[in-house]
Amino acid sequence: RYWKNIPRWEDVPCSVFNTYEWQKKNSIVTKVQLKNFFEETLPDTLEPSKNPRFAHIRTREQFVEDALNGLGMAPMSVRITPHLLALVDWKRALDDPIRTQFVPLQSGFIGDHPKLTLDSLHESEDSQVQGLVHRYSDKALFLATSICPVYCRFCTRSYSVGAPTDTVTKVPNKPIRKRWEAMFNYIESTPAIQDIVVSGGDTYYLEPEQIQEIECRLLGIENVRRIRFASKGLAVLPSRTLDATDSWTKTFIELTKKGRKLGKQVCLHTHFNHPTEITWVTKKAAQYLFQEGVIVRNQTVLLKGVNDNVETMAKLIRLLADMNIQPASLLPSYYVYQCDLVRGIEDLRTPLSVILDLEEQLRGTIAGFMMPSFVVDLPGGGGKRLAATGSYDPKTGVSTFTAPGLPGEKGKRVYEYYDPKP
């Protein structure tokens, strides 16, 4: 019971803690709830931080004040599952990698880069229909919802995902049939589209009937050959995969089998960033999916103070491979992303030199089929490019890339990625 160190949950049995409804009901979704949790859970005195920006934060009261002020400045609203909260080392909360991803501290904030925009990847610009991003000729991104089981600080869709905040008014993609139907019609009328990524938000937060509706509709479109469901669920709420009282996973497994009968691939893309996110529940859930033949790939975001060193990244890659989070002959970690230019997270971004060094240090120490691709998703809608293929000037902090495979003027442009402000 890795949650036994949380006072309010120390006596909760496995049979309760590991149910989807209990996790959802007990998630932290407001500042008041978070404040109360902190006051119950944090020790009187915290371990000092390695980050000089946090040197003045030593007591519970100082941490609570800084965190609540940080949420007031953040582009993402708060939503954290008990599963994740139980994995944080609250004595070392200042430097904990899970806290860093989900709870901002005011003292950590650095002013946004001047080149940053709210929708830095230009997804809205590349949407012919609201919520359907069509950038590559044969692939489309189907944004089914704007809700997630947790809200990451670094979400690239902070323009859309989650509740409005003090700093961002959201333009949500609501999970409604009328909007979905317009997206289906566009896909049907565009035969070049063969590959669909269903994302959001998080498909884990759709009802089983909704994922069945989306997937059956997509499988019925002749030109669609591959469907990828994007969900952080396995990382942040793995017990839902094992919950016999909840039918999300059983529904998804049946749909993957239906896809195979049609000669079409249906798989799950998940999102782990740090080894401490992996528990015995996670391993059991991953094993269940593996036994049922579900292809699972992981996508990691490179984050300062979380996974920006060789030891952490290597351990994460190996743990993922041990859980069979890999398609048959493809890459288990699939991508490690350079962190996008997102509002309010300059403290989490690393210079491009870090991702280049990580790849150089890791290649040759890990079996080739286990090595992820280290990529930059280019600002301005240039798409994904291997980080090492750009032209990088560490003095100016500017790297340039081209994307000749994109149509029209987009394929002729030079795209720039900017290191965080020093």
Side-chain angles (χ1 to χ4, degrees):
R1 292 187 302 118
Y2 52 87
W3 56 93
K4 65 183 179 182
N5 293 324
I6 307 297
R8 64 171 63 180
W9 302 323
E10 60 184 343
D11 295 324
V12 177
C14 285
S15 59
V16 175
F17 189 86
N18 287 315
T19 60
Y20 174 59
E21 286 301 323
W22 188 93
Q23 286 279 327
K24 187 166 68 170
K25 181 179 179 181
N26 289 276
S27 290
I28 301 296
V29 297
T30 69
K31 290 181 183 179
V32 172
Q33 289 177 335
L34 191 62
K35 180 176 183 291
N36 292 339
F37 177 85
F38 285 155
E39 290 175 346
E40 293 174 13
T41 307
L42 287 166
D44 294 337
T45 304
L46 302 176
E47 292 286 332
S49 173
K50 297 176 183 177
N51 186 340
R53 291 178 173 273
F54 301 151
H56 62 287
I57 305 175
R58 295 303 306 277
T59 68
R60 178 197 301 121
E61 291 73 20
Q62 290 168 335
F63 182 94
V64 172
E65 180 181 7
D66 212 278
L68 295 180
N69 289 339
L71 283 171
M73 301 168 64
M76 295 300 293
S77 53
V78 62
R79 183 186 290 273
I80 317 175
T81 59
H83 168 78
L84 272 186
L85 290 166
L87 298 180
V88 176
D89 182 350
W90 291 106
K91 293 179 182 178
R92 298 174 177 81
L94 291 169
D95 292 340
D96 185 88
I98 296 177
R99 191 287 303 164
T100 300
Q101 295 178 66
F102 299 100
V103 181
L105 295 178
Q106 180 187 32
S107 296
F109 272 79
I110 302 171
D112 289 335
H113 195 285
K115 295 291 187 178
L116 178 150
T117 59
L118 186 59
D119 181 8
S120 67
L121 301 183
H122 286 200
E123 291 184 337
S124 299
E125 182 181 299
D126 288 333
S127 298
Q128 301 298 320
V129 177
Q130 183 188 352
L132 189 75
V133 184
H134 186 199
R135 179 175 298 144
Y136 305 102
S137 60
D138 64 346
K139 187 185 86 172
L141 174 63
F142 189 110
L143 300 177
T145 182
S146 293
I147 306 172
C148 302
V150 300
Y151 293 138
C152 308
R153 287 183 54 203
F154 49 91
C155 180
T156 196
R157 296 194 188 104
S158 56
Y159 67 89
S160 169
V161 171
T165 67
D166 294 343
T167 60
V168 177
T169 300
K170 309 287 179 168
V171 182
N173 290 306
K174 296 181 179 180
I176 53 177
R177 184 172 284 105
K178 182 179 180 180
R179 188 177 68 84
W180 290 350
E181 195 58 39
M183 297 157 76
F184 293 137
N185 290 338
Y186 179 86
I187 295 167
E188 281 183 315
S189 64
T190 313
I193 297 177
Q194 295 187 320
D195 196 310
I196 302 292
V197 178
V198 184
S199 186
D202 193 315
T203 58
Y204 215 57
Y205 223 71
L206 294 171
E207 293 300 319
E209 296 77 16
Q210 291 176 312
I211 64 164
Q212 186 170 41
E213 178 180 349
I214 292 171
E215 196 161 349
C216 285
R217 188 75 163 81
L218 291 174
L219 286 172
I221 298 175
E222 184 176 356
N223 47 286
V224 174
R225 305 301 305 171
R226 290 164 295 279
I227 307 169
R228 294 175 271 168
F229 273 71
S231 172
K232 199 171 169 67
L234 193 59
V236 301
L237 192 52
S239 56
R240 187 176 195 185
T241 303
L242 302 169
D243 187 350
T245 66
D246 181 85
S247 60
W248 193 98
T249 303
K250 290 181 180 178
T251 300
F252 184 77
I253 289 170
E254 288 306 310
L255 290 168
T256 65
K257 293 177 179 178
K258 180 177 180 180
R260 280 196 290 275
K261 288 180 180 179
L262 296 172
K264 300 185 178 188
Q265 186 185 89
V266 179
C267 61
L268 180 68
H269 280 198
T270 192
H271 178 186
F272 289 88
N273 286 332
H274 194 275
T276 59
E277 297 168 14
I278 297 171
T279 68
W280 65 268
V281 181
T282 317
K283 293 175 181 178
K284 191 174 180 180
Q287 174 63 14
Y288 173 58
L289 293 173
F290 181 64
Q291 287 178 200
E292 294 294 332
V294 177
I295 295 171
V296 184
R297 303 186 183 112
N298 182 66
Q299 298 181 118
T300 293
V301 177
L302 180 62
L303 299 168
K304 185 177 181 180
V306 175
N307 54 19
D308 58 334
N309 62 80
V310 171
E311 293 76 19
T312 300
M313 190 64 74
K315 184 176 181 180
L316 176 63
I317 292 170
R318 289 189 173 101
L319 282 172
L320 291 169
D322 288 347
M323 293 193 297
N324 295 298
I325 297 185
Q326 56 183 337
S329 60
L330 297 178
L331 302 170
S333 282
Y334 198 49
Y335 289 133
V336 172
Y337 282 97
Q338 179 73 4
C339 188
D340 293 333
L341 275 77
V342 175
R343 184 181 293 180
I345 63 153
E346 199 70 356
D347 60 305
L348 292 180
R349 293 204 303 122
T350 66
L352 195 78
S353 57
V354 174
I355 198 169
L356 296 175
D357 183 63
L358 279 173
E359 180 175 15
E360 184 176 27
Q361 294 293 324
L362 288 168
R363 194 165 294 282
T365 69
I366 293 174
F369 74 94
M370 287 168 54
M371 273 293 289
S373 296
F374 293 77
V375 301
V376 181
D377 206 345
L378 299 177
K384 302 173 187 66
R385 288 292 178 273
L386 293 172
T389 62
S391 176
Y392 176 52
D393 185 344
K395 293 182 180 179
T396 63
V398 178
S399 48
T400 58
F401 298 81
T402 57
L406 293 180
E409 290 302 315
K410 282 212 164 194
K412 300 175 183 178
R413 285 174 51 185
V414 173
Y415 296 86
E416 295 182 333
Y417 180 86
Y418 307 95
D419 283 356
K421 296 193 302 182

